[in-house]
Amino acid sequence: MKGFAMLHIGAIGWIEKEKPVCGPIDAIITPLAVAICTSDVHTVWAGAIGERHNMILGHECCAKVVEVGACVKDFKPGDRVLVPAITPDWNSLEAQAGYSMHSNGMLAGWKFSNFKDGVFAEYAHVNDADGNLAHLPDSINVVDACMLSDMVPTGFHGVELADVQFGDTVLVIGIGPVGLMSVAGANMRGASRIIAVGTRPLCVEAAKGYGATDFVSYKDGSIEEQVLAMTDGKGVDKVVIAGGTVDTFGSAVKCLKPGGKIGNVNYLGEGDTIGIPRVEWGVGMGHKQINGGLMPGGRLRMEKLGSLVAGGRLDVSPLSTHVFEGWDHVEEALLLMKEKPADLIKPVIKLAD
Ligand code: NDP
Ligand code: ZN
C-alpha cells in the first residue's frame, strides 16, 4: 500500500509499505478523510518525538472498516467510524487507573504516527477496535468527523483539566483549532466570561462565535498585565493553555486567583524547565493547581463528543478552512500547516463521501 511518511527528521514523501496485519481484537481501516495537525509539523520539522524512519504520518481521520479480528464484537467491514488520535490499550493497568493516555508508558496511548504507522495511508491499523472506534453518525460529514479525532477531545480535555465550573471567568491562551475547542468547551460548561489570547483575525472571529467575550494579544505586552487590567486586578478562576511556550505558565499563574486551576494541553517543545513565579504561586501556598495532559482517547469519548456534533450542539465546520480532495494534496496540506497562513485553521483532505 502507499503511505505518506516522515522519511527522517525534516524530510517527507510517499513510500510503499506492506498492508498492516489485523490482530484478534484489532481493525484495519481505510480513511474517508484525514486532517493535518500541528503535531504532524512538530513531529517532522521539530523532531518532537525523536528520529523516525519511513513512518507514515497522521493521526486525525474518519474511516471505513475493511477488516476486523475474530474477537471484535461491535464493528464489521463496511462500517463508517470515528477514529480517535489516541488509541489506548484498555486492558492496561494505567487505563484501569484512569490514565488511558499513558497505557503501557507515558504518552503511549498516542500510537498513530508515533509508535506505529499513522493514517495518511490506504490502510491503517487500529488496536482494540471495540475500545477505540465509534460508529460515525450519518448526520456528521467526513470533514467535520476529522475534527473529532483530536481537536474537539483535546480542546475539551483542557477544559476538564482546568475544571471549569458555572460562572467561572476563564482565560484560554492560544486560539488555534485546539484553543478554539477549549473556548467552545468552557462555554458549554457555563463560563461567564472567556478571555481569549491570540492574534490571527480568523481565529479571533471564530473564538467570538464559540463564546469568547474578551481578547488579549500576546504581541501587545504581557498577558498578565492585560488580563489583570480587565479583571480589576482580581484575575481569573481558570486558565486553559493551548498555545505559547514554557514561559506561558508564568503568565498563567500570575493571572490566576488563589484556588484557581490551570489545564495545559499545549506541547512544550523547548526549554529544560518550566518557570513558576514564586510570589504569585503564593510562595508555595497559593492553592493554584497546574495540570497538564494528553487527551484520553477511546470510544466512549468519541461517542459522547460525536453526539454533540450530531445533535447540533457543537458546530466544528468553522475549523476546516482548507478542504482538499484526494491523496495527491497531502504534501501541500502539510506544508500549508507548517506555514500557518493567516487564513488557515485546519487543512482537511477528503477521500470519499
Ligand atoms: P496553533 O499553532 O494553531 O495555535 C497556537 C495558538 O497559540 C495561536 O492562537 C497563537 O496565536 C497562540 N500563541 C502563539 N504563541 C503564543 C505566545 N507566546 N503566547 C500566547 N499565545 C501564543 O496550534 P493548535 O491549536 O493546532 O495546537 C495547540 C497546541 O496543542 C500545540 O502545541 C499542539 O501540538 C498541541 N496539541 C496537544 C494535544 C494533546 O493531546 N495534549 C493534541 C493535539 C495538539 P496567533 O493567533 O498569533 O497564531
Ligand atoms: Zn492532532
Side-chain angles (χ1 to χ4, degrees):
M1 67 170 191
K2 281 189 170 22
F4 191 78
M6 166 177 177
L7 308 178
H8 54 81
I9 290 175
I12 51 175
W14 283 99
I15 58 170
E16 282 281 343
K17 278 211 170 173
E18 290 295 316
K19 187 178 162 189
V21 175
C22 191
I25 64 168
D26 307 337
I28 303 298
I29 57 169
T30 187
L32 297 168
V34 298
I36 313 279
C37 183
T38 303
S39 302
D40 295 312
V41 174
H42 291 151
T43 298
V44 176
W45 286 284
I49 57 172
E51 187 56 285
R52 296 287 192 280
H53 292 284
N54 297 336
M55 178 188 71
I56 294 173
L57 289 164
H59 55 264
E60 299 183 13
C61 77
C62 63
K64 190 164 79 175
V65 175
V66 294
E67 187 182 345
V68 294
C71 302
V72 173
K73 295 193 295 285
D74 297 335
F75 298 91
K76 60 182 187 317
D79 285 353
R80 292 156 66 87
V81 286
L82 295 166
V83 185
I86 307 300
T87 53
D89 300 310
W90 287 98
N91 61 0
S92 66
L93 295 181
E94 292 84 358
Q96 289 182 29
Y99 294 94
S100 55
M101 66 297 270
H102 305 300
S103 63
N104 293 315
M106 188 156 69
L107 308 178
W110 176 21
K111 298 184 190 306
F112 289 131
S113 68
N114 186 7
F115 295 120
K116 69 176 185 184
D117 283 323
V119 302
F120 295 169
E122 288 175 87
Y123 302 102
H125 169 270
V126 180
N127 58 291
D128 197 344
D130 283 326
N132 284 316
L133 295 175
H135 291 284
L136 170 59
D138 288 340
S139 59
I140 305 180
N141 68 55
V142 296
V143 171
D144 285 354
C146 291
M147 298 303 112
L148 283 157
S149 287
D150 195 1
M151 298 301 96
V152 180
T154 296
F156 277 47
H157 191 49
V159 174
E160 290 169 328
L161 291 171
D163 189 26
V164 173
Q165 303 286 335
F166 298 128
D168 277 348
T169 295
V170 181
L171 174 66
V172 178
I173 303 180
I175 45 169
V178 172
L180 286 171
M181 289 300 95
S182 297
V183 171
N187 194 29
M188 279 189 180
R189 279 220 170 172
S192 60
R193 192 176 178 192
I194 302 174
I195 305 171
V197 180
T199 66
R200 277 179 280 163
L202 192 67
C203 293
V204 168
E205 277 313 303
K208 278 184 197 160
Y210 284 123
T213 52
D214 304 78
F215 289 88
V216 162
S217 164
Y218 62 94
K219 294 179 180 168
D220 292 346
S222 88
I223 294 172
E224 57 270 28
E225 271 174 28
Q226 297 180 69
V227 170
L228 289 171
M230 41 172 79
T231 55
D232 296 329
K234 292 196 176 83
V236 300
D237 299 297
K238 307 288 164 58
V239 183
V240 180
I241 304 180
T245 66
V246 286
D247 296 328
T248 307
F249 285 81
S251 297
V253 168
K254 289 176 184 172
C255 289
L256 205 57
K257 292 179 191 172
K261 294 178 186 172
I262 295 171
N264 177 76
V265 287
N266 192 32
Y267 156 75
L268 300 172
E270 286 173 4
D272 291 330
T273 56
I274 296 165
I276 306 300
R278 181 180 61 84
V279 172
E280 289 85 353
W281 205 45
V283 291
M285 296 175 284
H287 291 102
K288 297 189 180 186
Q289 280 185 34
I290 302 170
N291 301 307
L294 181 69
M295 67 94 159
R299 174 176 180 176
L300 180 64
R301 176 162 286 251
M302 284 294 96
E303 286 184 353
K304 287 198 173 184
L305 296 178
S307 71
L308 291 176
V309 177
R313 295 263 290 128
L314 175 66
D315 178 10
V316 293
S317 64
L319 301 183
S320 306
T321 51
H322 292 62
V323 179
F324 299 90
E325 300 232 356
W327 282 121
D328 290 349
H329 295 282
V330 176
E331 180 163 1
E332 184 184 352
L334 186 60
L335 293 174
L336 193 68
M337 196 58 158
K338 185 179 176 223
E339 286 155 24
K340 288 226 161 115
D343 64 342
L344 177 86
I345 300 181
K346 282 291 266 193
V348 181
I349 300 132
K350 200 173 153 185
L351 303 158
D353 279 316

